């Protein structure tokens, strides 16, 4: 039987564990997987693009487990009462192909995206970082804020969005964290002024320049999270040229990330090598580091593994007969007749 978690079951699982603990534990799973990067069969996601959005399939596997995610990105969806990003995924045994887990991945994607940002900042930002500016207060913003506060100890958060209601929404949710100082900025520039870490997490499918060179200060670490498909960027070209850039899976990031603006020969550095201790991340306190985050399937495998382990341990979800088990595996027709 296959373990199944819908949105309600996943929400109860996270709330039972606590979002802070859930993300901290997920970070451990993700760092384990990134340290094993060469062991995985990796490919860029398959994408079906339209004028209004994208639908993608994201597979990855090692010798034991195969995982995939189905995910969309449609910035105009909120106008129709739908999430910009919606996702589900599965975890299967490589040896048999049998699906162990089928689960929602919309909430889980937000959690793993925030944890990926923390993982990059933990490896690349200055160790004394205490303040962060977040540009974009949509569905991902709370997860980013809580993860950085709970795991990295960020004490001051400045937020900005062109939608003041979105800023109010984020600030209201963060009232549950009284030791996190939240400041609503009046511009993107004031949002990032003096910040140790800057996270851009906007949704418009456009060549945008959310962060410009005059906003970047020595020693900053930048998480570019919102630029994640062809034709969608957040960082000005000169911001990229002025920093040391780290990426997930280069064949995917070259097409989808902010570095789509750069020549193919411009140097970028694999984040996994820094996490695994095989290369140096930040070279000086004054250096600007950039994580060009597009979201890679290995991060989804990490969250699928963690959800399966945690749900099994705590008894969450239900088992469903997603694929048949037969007394005679060669008699599929007979199984169909038996269901009449």
């Amino acid at each position: 039987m296959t373990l199944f978690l819908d949105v309600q079951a996943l929400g109860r699982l996270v709330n039972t564990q606590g979002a802070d603990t859930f993300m901290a534990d997920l970070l451990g799973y993700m760092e384990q997987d990134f340290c094993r990067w060469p062991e995985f069969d990796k490919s860029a996601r398959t994408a079906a693009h339209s004028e209004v959005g994208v639908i993608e399939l994201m597979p990855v596997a090692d010798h034991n487990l195969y995982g995939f995610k189905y995910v969309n990105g449609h910035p105009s969806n909120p106008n129709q009462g739908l999430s910009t990003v919606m996702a589900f995924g599965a975890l299967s045994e490589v040896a048999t192909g049998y699906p162990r887990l089928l689960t929602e991945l919309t909430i889980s994607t937000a959690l793993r995206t925030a944890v990926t940002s923390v993982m990059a900042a933990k490896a690349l930002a200055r160790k004394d970082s205490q303040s962060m500016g977040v540009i974009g207060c949509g569905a991902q913003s709370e997860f980013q804020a809580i993860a950085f506060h709970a795991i990295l100890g960020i004490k001051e958060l400045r937020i900005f969005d062109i939608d003041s209601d979105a800023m109010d929404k984020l600030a209201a949710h963060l009232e549950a964290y009284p030791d996190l100082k939240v400041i609503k900025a009046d511009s993107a520039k004031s949002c990032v002024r003096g910040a140790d870490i800057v996270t851009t997490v906007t949704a418009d499918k456009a060549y945008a320049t959310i962060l410009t060179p005059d906003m970047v200060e020595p020693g900053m670490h930048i998480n570019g999270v919102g630029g994640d498909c062809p034709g969608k960027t957040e960082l000005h070209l000169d911001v990229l040229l002025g920093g040391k850039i780290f990426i997930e899976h280069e064949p995917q990031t070259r097409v989808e990330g902010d570095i789509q603006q750069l020549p193919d020969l411009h140097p970028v550095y694999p984040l996994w090598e820094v996490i695994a201790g095989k290369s140096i991340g930040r070279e000086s306190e004054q250096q600007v580091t950039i994580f060009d985050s597009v979201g890679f399937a290995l991060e989804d495998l990490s969250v699928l593994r963690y959800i399966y382990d945690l749900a099994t341990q705590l008894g969450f979800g239900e088992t469903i007969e997603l694929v048949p088990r037969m007394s005679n595996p060669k008699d599929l027709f007979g199984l169909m007749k038996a269901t009449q």
Side-chain angles (χ1 to χ4, degrees), residues 54-128:
V54 62
I55 298 174
E56 301 166 331
L57 288 176
M58 302 173 62
V60 70
D62 63 7
H63 297 300
N64 298 311
L65 295 172
Y66 171 94
F68 81 86
K69 180 170 76 174
Y70 168 100
V71 62
N72 78 298
H74 288 72
S76 63
N77 267 5
N79 298 329
Q80 305 176 56
L82 297 172
S83 297
T84 299
V85 175
M86 298 177 286
F88 64 88
L91 184 69
S92 300
E93 300 170 354
V94 167
T96 64
Y98 194 85
R100 289 187 185 179
L101 174 69
L102 177 66
T103 182
E104 86 79 45
L105 283 182
T106 307
I107 297 171
S108 308
T109 292
L111 290 160
R112 74 86 159 131
T113 301
V115 171
T116 303
S117 296
V118 166
M119 180 174 66
K122 179 182 173 184
L124 302 173
R126 297 195 310 267
K127 301 306 178 187
D128 61 349

Side-chain angles (χ1 to χ4, degrees), residues 47 92 116 137 213 266 273 313 338:
S92 300
T116 303
C137 299
H266 188 91
E273 290 187 354
Q313 174 190 339

Side-chain angles (χ1 to χ4, degrees), residues 135 160-161 185-193 198 210-211 215:
I135 303 175
F160 176 74
D161 197 296
D186 58 8
S187 68
K189 183 174 289 189
S190 62
C191 176
V192 304
R193 187 178 297 121
V198 172
I210 306 301
L211 197 69
M215 299 163 67

Side-chain angles (χ1 to χ4, degrees), residues 46-308:
T46 301
H49 293 279
S50 69
E51 292 182 358
V52 295
V54 62
I55 298 174
E56 301 166 331
L57 288 176
M58 302 173 62
V60 70
D62 63 7
H63 297 300
N64 298 311
L65 295 172
Y66 171 94
F68 81 86
K69 180 170 76 174
Y70 168 100
V71 62
N72 78 298
H74 288 72
S76 63
N77 267 5
N79 298 329
Q80 305 176 56
L82 297 172
S83 297
T84 299
V85 175
M86 298 177 286
F88 64 88
L91 184 69
S92 300
E93 300 170 354
V94 167
T96 64
Y98 194 85
R100 289 187 185 179
L101 174 69
L102 177 66
T103 182
E104 86 79 45
L105 283 182
T106 307
I107 297 171
S108 308
T109 292
L111 290 160
R112 74 86 159 131
T113 301
V115 171
T116 303
S117 296
V118 166
M119 180 174 66
K122 179 182 173 184
L124 302 173
R126 297 195 310 267
K127 301 306 178 187
D128 61 349
S129 296
Q130 295 189 346
S131 63
M132 182 166 80
V134 174
I135 303 175
C137 299
Q140 173 65 212
S141 57
E142 286 87 356
F143 298 89
Q144 293 279 337
I146 293 168
F148 273 88
H149 174 59
I151 301 174
L152 281 195
I154 291 298
K155 294 180 172 58
E156 180 180 286
L157 182 73
R158 288 177 232 147
I159 62 175
F160 176 74
D161 197 296
I162 57 174
D163 179 357
S164 60
D165 289 341
M167 282 199 289
D168 292 341
K169 177 264 306 181
L170 174 57
H173 282 305
L174 295 179
E175 287 176 0
Y177 297 84
D179 52 343
L180 175 62
K181 182 180 180 181
V182 179
I183 301 170
K184 289 187 280 188
D186 58 8
S187 68
K189 183 174 289 189
S190 62
C191 176
V192 304
R193 187 178 297 121
D196 300 313
I197 297 170
V198 172
T199 296
T200 57
V201 59
T202 59
D204 284 345
K205 188 179 181 182
Y207 287 115
T209 51
I210 306 301
L211 197 69
T212 52
D214 58 305
M215 299 163 67
V216 178
E217 299 176 11
M220 270 185 176
H221 171 69
I222 300 165
N223 288 315
V225 178
D228 58 359
C229 72
K232 183 182 178 189
T233 63
E234 294 181 312
L235 308 183
H236 189 282
L237 174 61
D238 289 339
V239 172
L240 296 170
L241 294 174
K244 185 176 182 180
I245 305 167
F246 296 83
I247 48 89
E248 293 145 307
H249 185 54
E250 186 172 349
Q252 180 175 311
T253 311
R254 288 284 184 187
V255 175
E256 299 179 353
D258 272 275
I259 63 170
Q260 64 188 271
Q261 303 175 74
L262 294 173
D264 288 344
L265 295 179
H266 188 91
V268 295
Y269 302 89
L271 178 63
W272 78 266
E273 290 187 354
V274 181
I275 293 168
K278 296 181 178 296
S279 65
I280 296 173
R282 171 175 294 275
E283 298 171 44
S284 73
E285 292 293 293
Q286 299 300 304
Q287 186 176 48
V288 173
T289 53
I290 301 168
F291 175 44
D292 189 2
S293 173
V294 296
F296 185 59
L298 184 54
E299 298 145 19
D300 298 308
L301 184 70
S302 299
V303 77
L304 286 166
R305 289 201 305 113
Y306 179 50
I307 289 171
Y308 182 80

Side-chain angles (χ1 to χ4, degrees), residues 11-69:
R12 290 194 299 270
L13 180 66
V14 174
N15 288 330
T16 297
Q17 191 75 345
D20 298 8
T21 301
F22 188 98
M23 288 193 282
D25 290 347
L26 176 56
L27 176 61
Y29 273 67
M30 199 175 289
E31 288 177 331
Q32 290 172 9
D33 287 338
F34 267 67
C35 286
R36 299 191 301 118
W37 183 274
E39 299 177 24
F40 289 92
D41 181 4
K42 301 174 290 294
S43 63
R45 54 189 159 202
T46 301
H49 293 279
S50 69
E51 292 182 358
V52 295
V54 62
I55 298 174
E56 301 166 331
L57 288 176
M58 302 173 62
V60 70
D62 63 7
H63 297 300
N64 298 311
L65 295 172
Y66 171 94
F68 81 86
K69 180 170 76 174

